[in-house]
Amino acid sequence: MRITSTSCICPVLVCLCFVQRCYGAAHHGSVRVTRNQTKHIEGETEVHHRPKRGWVWNQFFVLEEHMGPDPQYVGKLHSNSDKGDGSVKYILTGEGAGTIFIIDDTTGDIHSTKSLDREQKTHYVLHAQAIDRRTNKPLEPESEFIIKVQDINDNAPKFTDGPYIVTVPEMSEMGTSVLQVTATDADDPTYGNSARVVYSILQGQPYFSVDPKTGVIRTALHNMDREAREHYSVVIQAKDMAGQVGGLSGSTTVNITLTDVNDNPPRFPQKHYQLYVPESAQVGSAVGKIKANDADTGSNADMKYTIINGDGSGVFSISTDKETREGIISLKKPLNYEKKKSYTLNIEGANTHLDFRFSHLGPFKDVTMLKIIVGDVDEPPLFTMPSYVMEVYENAKIGTPVGAVTAQDPDAANSLVRY
């Protein structure tokens, strides 16, 4: 029967809806009318006619995933011209008519013969008609109605993007946002709590927390130190039915890595070092290395070495190896063991990239003392003059003294010189 705002057609095809709610409870849905009253009371249908009336049809409902041995009862079509003598024949057409939905053409009872999935199709549009079985003529116009598939909680929440890999700076303030995860539920979000998802943390406490409504993961502790622990595996659960007992759940893993900040000053392992350098070392050559340790990584561990004082600051220099972060000590002037046997250098190692948020953890530099011992090398004797000029007569006899040369051992031992 076509739905109109006003109608004077008689008889009337009445749609008696049986609405099945979740968990199998059945309720009878009556037809709502605009200008005349139709009541369905304990199996009886009373129709009070008035000259003008308009019908508003309720939807039929069928519970999805019905697994019972018998077809599921959907509802009943009834014409007020039906006197119960079998003279009225009910016809059902439209989506699923005759395959999914069958009708008893005598009683008007509609059944569903197949298990339906709301997530595949939410509703079916059908048409009903009552005809005179003897004359095959319509008793009233064809009427359209809807059978809606009623949702049950048969879909667990799913995280479509996990597992996740994210980072957050170490020493972040408590409550710093790390990531927002989202789980989707294929159940009907407009009916009940089947698709109402609540988030919780299964693994990762007390370091991280998750907002139960939004799925935002946040840090839950102050001063999380990368140098103490760098990697965390956090498991987040999404549970439907608003988290109630019996709800379905899904989970995902969030792998969180703390990134480095410059919160560790450089430190020399020792306060005093000693280095041996032979006096024969060449000017400009590297004669030793020194290194301060820094627990940070990357640019946060970069540093520069400086000779800040000491009696060897004019004889030695220091540079920084960018790759190894070592201080390279080089010779600026020649060494002479006989003149000076040792030198002292005060060396500073300081970070070059400071983060002023952590200046209270400083100072971000350290100082150590380096004593350089000059090694004695066996040097050749040295003549007192670089060259000599001597004269001798041409007729001098063999063995006549011509002159003398003199050489000395420059070493401290002053060993005897043989010519």
Side-chain angles (χ1 to χ4, degrees):
M1 185 187 76
R2 182 173 302 155
I3 303 169
T4 57
S5 59
T6 60
S7 176
C8 297
I9 298 174
C10 230
V12 177
L13 182 63
V14 180
C15 179
L16 305 179
C17 306
F18 289 81
V19 183
Q20 294 200 6
R21 301 299 182 186
C22 288
Y23 311 113
H27 302 276
H28 298 280
S30 61
V31 177
R32 293 183 289 115
V33 298
T34 307
R35 293 187 175 87
N36 77 305
Q37 300 296 320
T38 299
K39 300 179 181 179
H40 180 70
I41 304 173
E42 298 180 356
E44 293 185 3
T45 302
E46 297 181 3
V47 180
H48 303 281
H49 301 288
R50 292 182 182 177
K52 293 185 180 180
R53 61 189 181 278
W55 299 90
V56 181
W57 296 85
N58 284 351
Q59 292 177 332
F60 282 3
F61 292 83
V62 59
L63 196 65
E64 71 168 328
E65 306 293 352
H66 178 70
M67 304 301 292
D70 300 322
Q72 185 180 180
Y73 187 66
V74 178
K76 186 180 185 69
L77 296 178
H78 185 72
S79 172
N80 63 357
S81 64
D82 189 350
K83 307 303 182 182
D85 56 2
S87 62
V88 178
K89 181 179 180 180
Y90 297 98
I91 299 175
L92 189 66
T93 59
E95 295 179 324
T99 55
I100 300 175
F101 304 105
I102 59 174
I103 187 170
D104 187 316
D105 62 4
T106 301
T107 65
D109 291 324
I110 302 173
H111 288 81
S112 172
T113 62
K114 296 182 179 180
S115 177
L116 303 179
D117 187 354
R118 189 203 66 87
E119 286 68 48
Q120 292 183 359
K121 188 172 178 61
T122 60
H123 67 277
Y124 296 82
V125 179
L126 295 103
H127 298 85
Q129 192 173 27
I131 65 173
D132 189 308
R133 193 180 293 271
R134 293 183 297 272
T135 64
N136 226 26
K137 294 182 178 180
L139 298 175
E140 56 190 272
E142 186 181 79
S143 176
E144 181 182 280
F145 66 97
I146 293 175
I147 297 180
K148 186 173 183 180
V149 183
Q150 185 71 56
D151 184 49
I152 65 171
N153 189 22
D154 59 341
N155 290 277
K158 292 183 179 180
F159 293 92
T160 57
D161 298 328
Y164 302 83
I165 299 176
V166 293
T167 60
V168 63
E170 65 171 329
M171 310 301 286
S172 295
E173 294 183 1
M174 186 172 69
T176 298
S177 177
V178 180
L179 173 72
Q180 182 176 21
V181 295
T182 303
T184 58
D185 194 308
D187 291 319
D188 188 353
T190 65
Y191 179 77
N193 292 324
S194 296
R196 184 180 173 190
V197 175
V198 171
Y199 300 94
S200 62
I201 185 166
L202 299 182
Q203 177 182 306
Q205 295 173 318
Y207 308 101
F208 299 93
S209 64
V210 64
D211 188 294
K213 294 182 179 180
T214 64
V216 174
I217 302 171
R218 301 181 184 276
T219 58
L221 289 179
H222 287 289
N223 302 331
M224 294 176 65
D225 191 359
R226 184 198 67 85
E227 288 70 40
R229 181 176 176 181
E230 185 175 6
H231 301 288
Y232 297 83
S233 182
V234 178
V235 178
I236 302 297
Q237 181 189 73
K239 190 174 184 180
D240 60 19
M241 297 300 292
Q244 298 175 6
V245 176
L248 304 178
S249 64
S251 63
T252 189
T253 299
V254 182
N255 295 305
I256 302 174
T257 299
L258 299 184
T259 55
D260 188 59
V261 300
N262 190 9
D263 60 335
N264 291 279
R267 290 290 180 260
F268 287 103
Q270 301 172 211
K271 288 301 180 184
H272 297 88
Y273 291 87
Q274 188 169 293
L275 177 65
Y276 174 85
V277 181
E279 61 177 334
S280 59
Q282 297 296 312
V283 173
S285 64
V287 296
K289 298 178 181 179
I290 195 169
K291 185 177 182 180
N293 296 329
D294 194 314
D296 296 319
T297 61
S299 61
N300 294 319
D302 288 345
M303 66 185 72
K304 180 180 180 181
Y305 296 94
T306 308
I307 298 174
I308 54 177
N309 56 44
D311 57 8
S313 58
V315 181
F316 298 91
S317 64
I318 191 168
S319 60
T320 304
D321 188 313
K322 300 297 184 181
E323 297 296 326
T324 65
R325 298 189 177 95
E326 294 175 312
I328 310 300
I329 300 166
S330 301
L331 185 63
K332 292 171 61 178
K333 295 180 180 181
L335 298 175
N336 190 325
Y337 174 81
E338 287 69 35
K339 290 185 178 180
K340 191 169 178 61
K341 296 179 174 58
S342 66
Y343 296 89
T344 299
L345 301 176
N346 290 317
I347 298 176
E348 177 186 84
N351 280 150
T352 55
H353 299 90
L354 300 181
D355 191 330
F356 293 102
R357 294 176 301 169
F358 307 105
S359 58
H360 62 284
L361 301 175
F364 283 79
K365 58 185 178 180
D366 196 20
V367 177
T368 190
M369 179 181 290
L370 174 63
K371 184 176 182 179
I372 298 177
I373 305 299
V374 179
D376 187 22
V377 176
D378 188 11
E379 299 174 89
L382 295 177
F383 285 98
T384 55
M385 296 178 60
S387 64
Y388 295 87
V389 177
M390 298 180 184
E391 294 181 352
V392 60
Y393 291 106
E394 62 179 335
N395 60 351
K397 296 180 179 180
I398 296 175
T400 299
V402 176
V405 294
T406 304
Q408 291 181 341
D409 185 1
D411 295 323
N414 195 22
S415 301
L416 292 176
V417 176
R418 294 170 58 187
Y419 301 93

